[in-house]
Structures are given as structure tokens and as C-alpha cells.
């Protein structure tokens, strides 16, 4: 699928329920995008915190309004660190959708939802190659580079509001 075809599809971003079909689709996407390229499997991850997380999904829909024609093309989750701070984790966009605004739209939706829930900031551990993406969205890099799951990361933060 080309970027032009992807842009022709309507994109909707919404919160998705834990432990239902959309969550299972999100797990599959997280595995395909974030784990398999590293020779890992999401089945080996500790997913116990997922039950308490806020899950966001981006759905592409071609044609007019048929909800059954939707497919999950991006996902992320937010976990509360305390009463003020959420950690954004597991940001995954299918390869064909990268560069189309899908990731940006999910992050912006997550920020609005976080603010609605009374949180004041979002922190994340960005893979080194994703730092420019987050910097465009006004996230600030903090501290030195570190390794997580065997690859370089940076801690990043954005104040909300």
C-alpha cells in the first residue's frame, strides 16, 4: 500500500478496551513492530500492567462509514506513574502507515485524553531513531542515552496544557 493510498483511508483514533478484540489486535501489532524485529516475542513480556493502562488505537477505514471495514494500524498505551505523570509506552505504527501522521495523531489524542484525566505530563523512553519524531511533538530529551531491550533509548518528557 502506498502513502497516497494510506492517506485516502479515513483515520480515527480512540481509546480501546483492555482484554477485548481491539486489545488483542494491538498486542499483535506491538509484537510485529516492536518485538519481532529484535528477535523477541511479546509473549515473553510482562503484560500484567496492561490491565491498568489506558490503551489508544488508530484505525484506518476505507470507504463510507462501515465500522467493520476498520483495521488497527497503530497503538500506544499510557501507564500512570503517579497522580501527575503518565508514561507512554509501546508506541507502534504499522510500517506502511509510517510518515502519514498516524503516530502524531495517536500521540496528540493521548495527550488530550491525559489532560482530561487530570495528568500534567507524559514521559517516555524513546528509541534513539524515534527521538526526532518526539522532538517535533515538543517532547524534551532528558539525560544520557541508555539501553533498554538491547537498543539505545532516551528519556523524554512533555508538560501538558
Amino acid at each position: 500500500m502506498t502513502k497516497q493510498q494510506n492517506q485516502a483511508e479515513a483515520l480515527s483514533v480512540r481509546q480501546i478496551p483492555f482484554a477485548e478484540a481491539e486489545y488483542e489486535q494491538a498486542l499483535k501489532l506491538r509484537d510485529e513492530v516492536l518485538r519481532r524485529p529484535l528477535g523477541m516475542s511479546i509473549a515473553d513480556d510482562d503484560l500484567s500492567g496492561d490491565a491498568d493502562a489506558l490503551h489508544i488505537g488508530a484505525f484506518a477505514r476505507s470507504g463510507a462509514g462501515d465500522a467493520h471495514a476498520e483495521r488497527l494500524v497503530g497503538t500506544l498505551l499510557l501507564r500512570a506513574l503517579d497522580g501527575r505523570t503518565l508514561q507512554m509506552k509501546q508506541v507502534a505504527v504499522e510500517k506502511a502507515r509510517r510518515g502519514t501522521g498516524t503516530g502524531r495523531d495517536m500521540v496528540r489524542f493521548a495527550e488530550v485524553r491525559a489532560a482530561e484525566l487530570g495528568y500534567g505530563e507524559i514521559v517516555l523512553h524513546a528509541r534513539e531513531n524515534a527521538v526526532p519524531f518526539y522532538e517535533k511533538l515538543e517532547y524534551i530529551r532528558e539525560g544520557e542515552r541508555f539501553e533498554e531491550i538491547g537498543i539505545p533509548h532516551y528519556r523524554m518528557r512533555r508538560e501538558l496544557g
Side-chain angles (χ1 to χ4, degrees), residues 27-149:
L27 276 180
K28 183 177 182 227
L29 184 62
R30 286 162 54 186
D31 189 46
E32 289 172 6
V33 172
L34 301 173
R35 293 297 180 255
R36 288 188 185 179
L38 301 175
M40 303 169 81
S41 170
I42 202 156
D44 298 327
D45 286 4
D46 176 7
L47 301 175
S48 60
D50 280 14
D52 297 322
L54 176 73
H55 298 270
I56 307 296
F59 296 85
R61 183 179 59 248
S62 43
D66 182 8
H68 299 290
E70 286 187 325
R71 63 187 175 83
L72 182 80
V73 296
T75 188
L76 65 78
L77 60 90
L78 298 169
R79 285 194 186 144
L81 297 180
D82 56 43
R84 181 179 193 285
T85 306
L86 289 171
Q87 182 178 16
M88 186 182 304
K89 301 176 65 86
Q90 300 287 301
V91 180
V93 174
E94 71 177 27
K95 190 173 184 175
R97 295 286 307 194
R98 292 182 200 150
T100 65
T102 300
R104 178 200 63 224
D105 290 353
M106 280 195 312
V107 170
R108 291 300 189 221
F109 180 92
E111 292 167 351
V112 168
R113 188 72 184 112
E116 289 171 350
L117 294 170
Y119 290 94
E121 70 179 350
I122 294 178
V123 298
L124 57 93
H125 295 171
R127 291 181 180 194
E128 187 172 44
N129 64 345
V131 167
F133 166 78
Y134 291 107
E135 286 176 335
K136 286 179 188 172
L137 296 173
E138 301 173 0
Y139 284 76
I140 306 298
R141 188 170 23 173
E142 297 182 330
E144 299 298 315
R145 186 174 91 162
F146 63 94
E147 281 205 13
E148 192 171 80
I149 61 167

